[in-house]
Amino acid sequence: MVMLQIETAQAMENLEKILEENPMVDLAFIGSTDLSQSLGYPAAYHQPEVVKMVEKCIQRIKKSGKKAGIFTNSPEDARRFRELGVDL
């Protein structure tokens, strides 16, 4: 399995291009803590703006035909992300 991590606002801006230009990638893993830092919310991955960005990122990854992954801290988060289509 080949996977890459999406951890910055810049990666979010270029997500489709990144996935398109790397056809060998199977899964895009969202680094939500680093992403929150990049968005100006240090280690605040539950901040509403970050949550919204993560949800959009999941949709965009799935639309590209790739698998999506994310770290979770609780069973509740795991269930919520699974419902959003996260694979790992």
Side-chain angles (χ1 to χ4, degrees):
M1 173 183 286
V2 177
M3 57 185 202
L4 54 81
Q5 284 195 231
I6 305 299
E7 297 185 316
T8 65
Q10 184 178 12
M12 287 287 297
E13 290 173 19
N14 297 301
L15 182 59
E16 284 81 6
K17 183 177 180 180
I18 292 168
L19 296 175
E20 183 180 298
E21 290 181 358
N22 295 281
M24 298 296 293
V25 170
D26 300 301
L27 183 140
F29 191 92
I30 303 164
S32 54
T33 301
D34 289 332
L35 179 59
S36 70
Q37 174 75 26
S38 176
L39 294 170
Y41 303 102
Y45 54 87
H46 283 100
Q47 173 73 20
E49 182 180 341
V50 178
V51 169
K52 189 181 292 186
M53 291 288 284
V54 167
E55 290 175 355
K56 285 182 183 179
C57 188
I58 293 166
Q59 293 170 356
R60 293 165 64 198
I61 293 166
K62 300 304 286 184
K63 186 176 179 181
S64 78
K66 308 288 186 185
K67 302 287 185 191
I70 195 165
F71 177 78
T72 63
N73 284 326
S74 70
E76 294 79 23
D77 279 350
R79 280 190 289 277
R80 184 172 72 81
F81 287 126
R82 185 69 178 155
E83 289 171 2
L84 291 170
V86 172
D87 303 287
L88 175 74

